Amino acid sequence: MGKTILVTGGAGFIGNCFCKLLLKERPDWKVVNVDCLTYAANPATIKEELKNPNYVFYKTDIRDRNGINAVFEKERPDTVVNFAAESHVDRSIENPGIFLETNILGTQVLLDACRKYGIGRFHQVGTDEVYGDLPLDRPDLFFHEDTPIKTSSPYSTSKAAADLLALAYHRTYGLPVTVSRCSNNYGPYQFPEKLIPLMINNATHDKPLPVYGKGLNVRDWLYVEDHCRGILAVLEKGRVGEVYNLGGHNEKSNIEIVKIILKELGKPESLITFVADRKGHDQRYAIDPSKAMADLGWAPTTMFRDGIKLTVSWYRENTRWLDDCTSGEYRNYYDKMYGKRSDK
Ligand code: NAD
Ligand code: DAU
């Protein structure tokens, strides 16, 4: 058996994709998924992985020190990749506390366990949102690894703190830490609170598509498997103490994205509804991935025009998965979040 890799948040959108990639392409590794299954995790997501003898799942909260230590005691991982997080900006604006607890204190629990039990690598999955935003009228500007941290939302602030804490454990205690910071991901299994799956779900049901503000904010979209391959490249070729930006130079405004989805689904643009803007809404994200490309030999392989087709068809074919996510609590969330954003 090769490495034992502990993946936190492996029942979520990106963490699950990463587990799938490892089970497929590193068949001698043991994959240990630690996830407490918040609202963002649909248990059906990991149904196939649970059948794999190289995969084990612990329903454990990363804030639970005793629980995490017990997993380390039993599994003795060589590598930890921390995906577990509260990940939705809008929720962080409504309720910042849980973001600080999970994203900062949960990361600290993991870092302490790595120190206690010893580790070959701790990788922190970070976000480009830690760099704040770029103006819409300066397409020449990009986020580099040394761009100052300047966060806008409670979410991005908690993620920045987690990155810095991980790097501090490297500097202070010599823990072998790496950090990656990625742009917006899209693909199968993304919870339908995020732009792309929310719009696919609403359009499928002929419901209005709530576009914040004028829909001109720009995001830099990367297919989820490309992100996961980037993280694997950091684990295998990256240098400890370093930060790597991952992104695909695929900038699109939100309104462009929504129109592409409508076209793909054959639905009318009359479904688009402009609603009140997000508070503190970041204008533009744009990653410069040249360090990861040069040092790791990593590059995205899925073009957006192909990735978005794959994504739309996955949601069309997996209505049961989507229904599981959108029944029950999701309706309260949706009414609370969107009820107050009256049409503009
Ligand atoms: P997600 O919300 O889909 O999944 C998060 C997972 O973490 C869920 O399975 C949830 O149950 C689990 N989790 C949450 N709190 C936990 C806790 N206290 N203990 C154990 N498990 C817990 O998120 P995602 O989109 O897959 O993002 C994964 C990571 O990647 C996050 O750290 C996020 O900040 C980062 N990231 C996301 C994007 C993106 O576009 N989605 C881009 C860059 C970075
Ligand atoms: O950049 C990486 C980040 O991307 C990750 O760190 C976050 O975890 C992830 O959620 C994502 O953050 P965003 O805030 O960019 O993603 P979201 O899908 O929430 O929104 C994308 C854009 O679409 C943003 O400009 C807000 C807008 N939007 C979003 C929703 C949910 C709408 O116009 N309407 C909506 O209903």
Side-chain angles (χ1 to χ4, degrees):
M1 182 57 85
K3 281 181 193 301
T4 295
I5 181 164
L6 190 156
V7 176
T8 71
F13 165 49
I14 311 173
N16 172 256
C17 179
F18 187 66
C19 292
K20 282 187 163 66
L21 179 71
L22 295 179
L23 293 170
K24 191 169 64 171
E25 299 196 1
R26 298 293 180 275
D28 60 333
W29 291 15
K30 180 174 183 186
V31 178
V32 179
N33 174 17
V34 172
D35 194 306
C36 71
L37 304 182
T38 66
Y39 77 92
N42 180 342
T45 300
I46 60 170
K47 213 172 60 195
E48 284 310 307
E49 287 67 55
L50 286 171
K51 297 178 194 156
N52 190 313
N54 290 351
Y55 180 90
V56 50
F57 171 60
Y58 290 89
K59 186 173 184 302
T60 304
D61 193 314
I62 61 166
R63 294 169 298 169
D64 170 6
R65 195 172 285 275
N66 292 335
I68 289 296
N69 284 348
V71 175
F72 272 72
E73 190 81 54
K74 176 128 197 289
E75 299 292 345
R76 297 284 172 165
D78 314 294
T79 302
V80 172
V81 182
N82 183 25
F83 290 92
E86 290 293 333
S87 68
H88 191 37
V89 173
D90 289 329
R91 287 187 192 252
S92 84
I93 294 167
E94 295 302 307
N95 181 20
I98 183 72
F99 284 74
L100 309 187
E101 286 174 24
T102 294
N103 300 1
I104 308 174
L105 298 179
T107 300
Q108 187 212 351
V109 167
L110 295 169
L111 289 164
D112 286 342
C114 290
R115 282 189 69 207
K116 182 172 161 127
Y117 293 95
I119 199 82
R121 179 71 67 84
F122 177 90
H123 182 76
Q124 175 65 12
V125 179
T127 167
D128 61 356
E129 296 199 15
V130 301
Y131 301 122
D133 63 352
L134 298 164
L136 290 177
D137 60 356
R138 288 293 307 274
D140 55 314
L141 297 181
F142 295 92
F143 295 139
H144 310 281
E145 285 80 0
D146 58 1
T147 298
I149 303 289
K150 188 173 172 296
T151 55
S152 308
S153 69
Y155 163 71
S156 54
T157 304
S158 68
K159 291 295 291 180
D163 286 8
L164 296 177
L165 192 63
L167 293 167
Y169 271 58
H170 170 65
R171 166 93 186 230
T172 305
Y173 306 116
L175 202 71
V177 165
T178 42
V179 174
S180 53
R181 295 184 179 140
C182 191
S183 57
N184 285 62
N185 285 214
Y186 70 102
Y189 296 103
Q190 187 170 31
F191 192 79
E193 65 189 349
K194 307 283 168 58
L195 179 75
I196 289 183
L198 185 143
M199 297 301 171
I200 296 174
N201 185 41
N202 282 19
T204 304
H205 295 97
D206 299 306
K207 280 176 59 179
L209 308 192
V211 174
Y212 299 166
K214 296 193 168 77
L216 300 178
N217 305 61
V218 168
R219 298 293 183 262
D220 181 1
W221 294 95
L222 184 70
Y223 193 61
V224 61
E225 194 176 311
D226 281 326
H227 180 190
C228 293
R229 286 184 189 283
I231 293 170
L232 188 54
V234 176
L235 291 182
E236 294 185 328
K237 297 181 201 154
R239 283 190 295 135
V240 298
E242 293 286 322
V243 174
Y244 296 90
N245 281 354
L246 301 173
H249 281 305
N250 180 52
E251 291 176 46
K252 299 225 178 303
S253 69
N254 296 334
I255 193 73
E256 278 180 90
I257 293 283
V258 168
K259 287 182 178 172
I260 291 169
I261 290 170
L262 286 171
K263 195 160 175 220
E264 201 58 44
L265 287 167
K267 298 285 182 173
E269 291 189 5
S270 55
L271 287 174
I272 294 173
T273 314
F274 293 97
V275 300
D277 209 348
R278 175 183 280 175
K279 291 190 181 89
H281 200 171
D282 281 336
Q283 295 293 308
R284 169 177 169 251
Y285 302 148
I287 281 276
D288 170 11
S290 51
K291 177 177 170 182
M293 289 177 164
D295 293 6
L296 314 174
W298 170 84
T301 56
T302 304
M303 301 293 291
F304 187 78
R305 62 167 181 270
D306 302 324
I308 195 69
K309 278 187 197 298
L310 286 172
T311 304
V312 170
S313 16
W314 187 86
Y315 282 96
R316 291 181 94 154
E317 285 157 20
N318 289 275
T319 48
R320 181 123 182 240
W321 185 92
L322 199 51
D323 290 347
D324 284 350
C325 296
T326 53
S327 58
E329 187 46 37
Y330 183 84
R331 291 206 190 122
N332 299 337
Y333 164 80
Y334 197 91
D335 291 346
K336 184 165 173 257
M337 215 49 124
Y338 291 90
K340 65 187 178 198
R341 288 179 190 275
S342 51
D343 299 6
K344 281 205 322 179

